[in-house]
């Protein structure tokens, strides 16, 4: 297998609350391929955002990363990877924006309210690129135009509160892309946007991916979006990745019963803007209650009593896909 750009190994991020510990991310392993797009999908609350934030160590109390490795590989196969969880704060600050930029689900949480978007973008660019203010401002204006902000020469001097939600989200995306990162982590970047804008932004991300050779980790509820842009798909359930493989395999012939239920719940998968996750049978259990054995067993159509409720499945390779289910692999028999 080709060396990935980023590898998350057995990541554990817990919320340490008064009533107990919520294992929001409980053994996530995944890889992001170089210059390509990984979509991370799964129902609300399964730990997608916490995983994304953990990659840049942006989790705050009461959340704490308690285990795992996050390896960022260099350009040469012989380069030692950098473990972002073990790296010094200073090194991590160098990685943010220039190697890995992130667009959050809530753009207001990541834009400063007291600076114009232009100043914020220029500052982010100049933190990592040795270019002058004027050149950085030109790049920012160009990028604001490319994400579909009208009259970017004027809008660049707006404060975040002067922009609509959709425009703020675009400004956030422009800021991330202005830094030309090797990896863009985008957490539901288009959910708040109308269908036309959403399509425009996704096209833009794909263009820039080509242009910059940038990898994208795209977190989305929308399997239609995943089908449109992803090369690989990771399916998350209750804090772990239950299936990971090429998008064509995972979306057209999913192996894990949870992935199968997700895909079934989408009418006409592949039609842009139509595919939102409908309900999978049952509901996600409350955060303090982790089912024994396979975490999906109480909701699974293929449940085998005395097996799935007792044995934690090992993740195994089945065809071109990694899957954690007792239906697959010698290890699980
Ligand atoms: N501030 C918090 N305090 C306690 N628990 C939290 C907090 N934020 C998240 N969690 C826990 O972490 C779990 C994962 O949350 P996360 O935001 O990563 O889900 P998600 O997959 O991104 O969902 P969505 O699709 O709704 O964005 C939640 O189910 C919840 O139990
Ligand atoms: Mg989320």
């Amino acid at each position: 297998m080709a060396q990935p750009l980023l590898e998350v190994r057995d990541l554990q991020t817990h919320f340490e609350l008064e009533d107990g510990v919520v294992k929001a991310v409980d053994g996530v392993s995944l890889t992001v391929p170089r210059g390509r797009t990984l979509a991370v999908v799964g129902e609300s609350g399964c730990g997608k955002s916490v995983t994304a934030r953990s990659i840049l160590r942006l989790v705050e109390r009461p959340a704490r990363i308690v285990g795992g490795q996050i390896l960022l590989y260099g350009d040469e196969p012989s380069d030692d990877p950098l473990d972002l969880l073990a790296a010094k704060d200073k090194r991590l600050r160098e990685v943010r924006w220039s190697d890995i930029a992130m667009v959050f689900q809530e753009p207001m949480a990541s834009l400063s309210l007291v600076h114009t978007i232009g100043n914020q973008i220029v500052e982010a660019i100049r933190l990592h690129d040795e270019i002058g203010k004027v050149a950085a401002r030109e790049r920012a204006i160009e990028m604001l135009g490319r994400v579909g902000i009208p009259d970017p020469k004027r809008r660049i001097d707006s404060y975040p509160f002067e922009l609509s939600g959709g425009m703020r989200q675009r400004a956030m995306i422009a800021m991330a892309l202005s830094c030309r990162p090797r990896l863009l982590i985008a957490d539901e970047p288009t959910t708040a946007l109308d269908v036309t804008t959403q399509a425009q932004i996704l096209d833009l991300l794909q263009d820039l991916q080509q242009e910059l050779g940038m990898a994208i980790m795209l977190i989305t509820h929308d399997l239609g979006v995943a089908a449109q842009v992803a090369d690989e798909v990771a399916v998350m359930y209750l804090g772990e990745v239950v299936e990971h493989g090429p998008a064509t395999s995972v979306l057209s012939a999913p192996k894990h019963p949870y992935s199968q239920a997700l895909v079934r719940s989408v009418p006409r998968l592949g039609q842009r803007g139509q595919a939102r996750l409908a309900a999978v049978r049952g509901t996600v259990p409350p955060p303090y209650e982790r089912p024994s054995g396979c975490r999906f067993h109480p909701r699974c159509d293929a449940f085998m009593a005395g097996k799935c409720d007792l044995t934690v499945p090992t993740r195994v390779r089945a065809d071109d896909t990694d899957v954690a289910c007792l239906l697959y692999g010698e290890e699980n028999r």
Side-chain angles (χ1 to χ4, degrees), residues 67-103:
Q69 282 180 306
I70 294 178
L71 303 175
L72 178 67
Y73 289 90
D75 286 330
E76 300 297 327
S78 56
D79 291 347
D80 283 335
L82 175 70
D83 183 352
L84 301 181
L85 294 187
K88 294 219 161 64
D89 286 348
K90 179 170 177 290
R91 185 75 186 91
L92 198 69
R93 276 198 299 276
E94 293 165 2
V95 166
R96 282 185 201 152
W97 295 113
S98 62
D99 288 299
I100 305 179
M102 188 156 169
V103 174

Side-chain angles (χ1 to χ4, degrees), residues 7 16 21 64 66 72 85 95 103 159 190 202 218 299:
E7 180 176 2
E16 298 173 338
V21 174
R64 202 161 68 86
V66 296
L72 178 67
L85 294 187
V95 166
V103 174
Y159 289 89
T190 59
L202 292 175
L218 177 74
R299 304 175 68 191

